[in-house]
Amino acid sequence: MSGRLLVVEDEEHLAAGLKLNLELEGYEVDVATTAREAGEQLLGPAGYDAIVLDIMLPDFDGFELCKRLRDAGNFVPVIMLTARSSAEDRVRGLEVGADDYLVKPFSLEELLARVRSVLRRREWEQGSRENEEPPRTLEFGRAKIDFDTHEVLVSGEPQKLTQLELDLLRYFGEHPHRVLSRDELMEKVWKLRNYSYTRTVDNFIARLRRHFEENPSQPQHFLSVRGAGYKFVPDPDATATAS
Ligand code: CA
């Protein structure tokens, strides 16, 4: 697989190691050692397919950089590197629009799997855009989503969703009322097969609930099915009447 990556990491030996290993896998890799430098490179002509972004940087941190990117309408996939395994960091990363994260120290294999996953998703996303096959819009409850323009409205209020949140939402939209296992979602949305990291799915369901449910702790649309996975119910009132 090929692609152009930006590694943002101020520890130079670590940045050099990541660059070397990613290049050995066939990627083109640039390195930025500060958030400011990364920002400039992202504005430049190169055009990146994904960013590997460390949180701890000398000027401003990875959370802030990611947030600025998303605020500017840049939805390039971001894999965050967190030094601590604290849930708080992970949640914060996902909230500012990171697509995935890795806890240091991580194995090279793990990093490569995540990179492949975000690039595959991106390819799939671009491919599906060309094919015009999947639905372009989705409406349920108070929500209206346009997958082309990334415009998401909940009760008329614009929401910012990451590419991965949109991919997951689209997959649910294509398979309403069906129980979808975490493994199926990992495979179809994250493009990862036989991958045990299914907590990722749970984190993203929590994010969709925060965006779309009136009461995220009592979801009406994104339902947990114990021991099986999740089910998307676009029209809970109609479903309740019918059963
Ligand atoms: Ca660092």
Side-chain angles (χ1 to χ4, degrees), residues 136-147 149-159 161 166 169 212:
R136 327 305 299 156
T137 59
L138 175 66
E139 288 189 32
F140 65 94
R142 303 167 301 145
K144 272 182 142 175
I145 296 102
D146 183 322
F147 292 106
T149 61
H150 281 245
E151 190 181 44
V152 178
L153 298 173
V154 175
S155 300
E157 290 290 314
Q159 308 275 315
L161 265 71
L166 286 169
L169 189 56
F212 297 110

Side-chain angles (χ1 to χ4, degrees), residues 9-11 54 56-57 104:
E9 167 62 81
D10 59 319
E11 290 161 57
D54 189 34
M56 300 297 282
L57 294 165
K104 287 180 177 176

